[in-house]
Amino acid sequence: GAVVSQHPSWVICKSGTSVKIECRSLDFQATTMFWYRQFPKQSLMLMATSNEGSKATYEQGVEKDKFLINHASLTLSTLTVTSAHPEDSSFYICSASLGGETQYFGPGTRLLVL
Amino acid sequence: AQSVTQPDIHITVSEGASLELRCNYSYGATPYLFWYVQSPGQGLQLLLKYFSGDTLVQGIKGFEAEFKRSQSSFNLRKPSVHWSDAAEYFCLGAGGTSYGKLTFGQGTILTVHP
């Protein structure tokens, strides 16, 4: 149980385009979903926390207009990287929580912006 | 400030040898602590967690971790390492003002020699 999926698993796009990444909790309803970013040889950094039906809470230094998060249902959250640039290339991981302290992580999405 | 530190970036052990991965935390109160493993091309998998109670926590795949308040540590151990244990291991903490927000350690890459 507690499986989280992400789609796509990898994406290559041109600079200036927008990319949407989906995060789904497959067998449970997630009250809270989290989005992380992992740079090469670095740990994961929390970008934002989202609760279903409300605006996401962004971490300091994360541009909310750049990284749009929509948490439309208890099983789906989306992250849209708007007007992507090469420096946005990274590994994006989502996680979902049942309401407790344990988070279940998706497999991640590797984004490469050319 | 809340923090989780993994002092060892890379550890190499021989198959069958014992393993200990270090994790130190800095929180005002006892945090929730987790160990996750990230294998190449896969998402983060929860190995074990500590919230309260027995300070020796058993996890999956033969791993265990011991919470030591006096040393602010939560080291991960395994008595006999298998080649399939080669991966990157993350120690995470949650606590302080928000128990839902995870702080990641830097990660420790484990290499297993045959």
Side-chain angles (χ1 to χ4, degrees), chain B residues 3-16:
Chain B
S3 68
V4 175
T5 305
Q6 292 177 247
D8 305 306
I9 296 174
H10 195 171
I11 283 184
T12 300
V13 299
S14 299
E15 189 169 17

Side-chain angles (χ1 to χ4, degrees), chain A residues 73-94:
Chain A
S73 75
L74 286 172
T75 59
L76 174 63
S77 176
T78 60
L79 168 68
T80 301
V81 183
T82 62
S83 187
H85 288 94
E87 58 266 29
D88 299 323
S89 299
S90 190
F91 192 52
Y92 294 87
I93 300 177
C94 73

Side-chain angles (χ1 to χ4, degrees), chain A:
Chain A
V3 177
V4 176
S5 71
Q6 277 184 245
H7 178 79
S9 55
W10 60 270
V11 57
I12 302 174
C13 69
K14 292 183 179 180
S15 184
T17 60
S18 294
V19 176
K20 180 186 283 188
I21 303 170
E22 291 186 350
C23 176
R24 292 181 185 273
S25 55
L26 298 184
D27 52 0
F28 67 100
Q29 293 187 324
T31 54
T32 308
M33 286 186 169
F34 304 82
W35 286 96
Y36 296 85
R37 183 173 179 177
Q38 184 179 31
F39 291 100
K41 300 187 185 301
Q42 294 187 33
S43 189
L44 281 75
M45 298 296 294
L46 179 64
M47 298 175 66
T49 303
S50 76
N51 293 292
E52 184 263 341
S54 62
K55 290 185 178 180
T57 302
Y58 289 81
E59 294 302 298
Q60 192 172 9
V62 178
E63 300 174 59
K64 62 177 71 175
D65 295 330
K66 172 79 171 174
F67 299 99
L68 300 179
I69 292 173
N70 185 303
H71 194 160
S73 75
L74 286 172
T75 59
L76 174 63
S77 176
T78 60
L79 168 68
T80 301
V81 183
T82 62
S83 187
H85 288 94
E87 58 266 29
D88 299 323
S89 299
S90 190
F91 192 52
Y92 294 87
I93 300 177
C94 73
S95 71
S97 169
L98 282 157
E101 296 72 23
T102 303
Q103 293 181 25
Y104 300 93
F105 288 84
T109 297
R110 192 164 299 281
L111 170 64
L112 176 61
V113 184
L114 302 178

Side-chain angles (χ1 to χ4, degrees), chain B residues 81-102:
Chain B
V81 171
H82 189 261
W83 63 266
S84 60
D85 293 324
E88 187 163 17
Y89 292 79
F90 289 95
C91 180
L92 285 67
T97 57
S98 172
Y99 277 87
K101 186 173 169 179
L102 290 174

